[in-house]
Amino acid sequence: HPAVAGANRSRSQHLTAVGSVLAAMVLVVLNTAMANIALPTIAQALKVPPALSVWIVTANQAALLMALLPCAMLGESMGYRRVFRSGLVLFSAATLLCVLAPSLPWLIAARLLQGLGGAAVMALGIALLRHVVPSQQLGAAIGWNALAVALSSAAGPAIGAAILTVADWPWLFAVL
């Protein structure tokens, strides 16, 4: 029956959209959590004092926090999906720059760009979920988002440590 086929397709599209938003959230959170554990390794590899390696995390977090509200505003004016996708593209391009970073300043600049891209993802994820899921399931979708963020944050250090036991630090960014 056409109505059933349409409902199944619509449900499939909703699940794909929810999965995409949650995967992007996991990507941003895992990236931060994995980088934290690698600071001593990165400092040693780039031959910089460990105290300077803190800028790798600071640049990312500062950019993310400063850009959250502007990204939300851009989402309102330009469209959630467009800004979310642009943030994901920027995050991905910056991740490639992290993989290729030959020096600490390069890596810090790439992490700053990652933070800007991550801000669009984090600011607009819930807004997109609000438009994708039926209103009676919004609470559950917000719960899924919270669970994805919490699990990613908790798993990040272990995943980062596992990667560092078998590969060099750029692989922390390359696997994402």
Side-chain angles (χ1 to χ4, degrees):
H1 189 272
V4 172
N8 286 340
R9 183 170 31 98
S10 178
R11 179 162 168 74
S12 172
Q13 288 173 334
H14 286 176
L15 290 175
T16 300
V18 169
S20 298
V21 169
L22 295 180
M25 292 285 201
V26 166
L27 187 71
V28 172
V29 174
L30 264 181
N31 182 275
T32 299
M34 289 185 348
N36 285 341
I37 194 137
L39 293 180
T41 303
I42 296 172
Q44 184 179 7
L46 296 178
K47 297 176 178 51
V48 297
L52 289 180
S53 70
V54 173
W55 281 101
I56 297 166
V57 173
T58 302
N60 180 273
Q61 291 296 302
L64 193 142
L65 290 174
M66 288 188 297
L68 275 174
L69 292 178
C71 284
M73 186 262 324
L74 282 174
E76 286 288 330
S77 63
M78 297 175 60
Y80 299 138
R81 197 165 139 192
R82 175 188 281 173
V83 176
F84 183 87
R85 281 185 176 173
S86 297
L88 200 52
V89 167
L90 176 60
F91 182 87
S92 299
T95 298
L96 179 60
L97 291 174
C98 289
V99 170
L100 301 173
S103 66
L104 183 64
W106 175 308
L107 183 56
I108 290 170
R111 292 287 290 165
L112 186 121
L113 291 173
Q114 268 189 326
L116 294 175
V121 170
M122 299 298 281
L124 299 174
I126 297 292
L128 285 171
L129 290 176
R130 186 183 77 212
H131 289 287
V132 171
V133 300
S135 59
Q136 66 271 20
Q137 293 179 346
L138 181 59
I142 291 171
W144 299 331
N145 181 71
L147 180 63
V149 169
L151 289 176
S152 302
S153 185
I159 294 170
I163 291 169
L164 288 175
T165 62
V166 297
D168 292 332
W169 69 265
W171 283 96
L172 290 172
F173 302 105
V175 298
L176 297 176

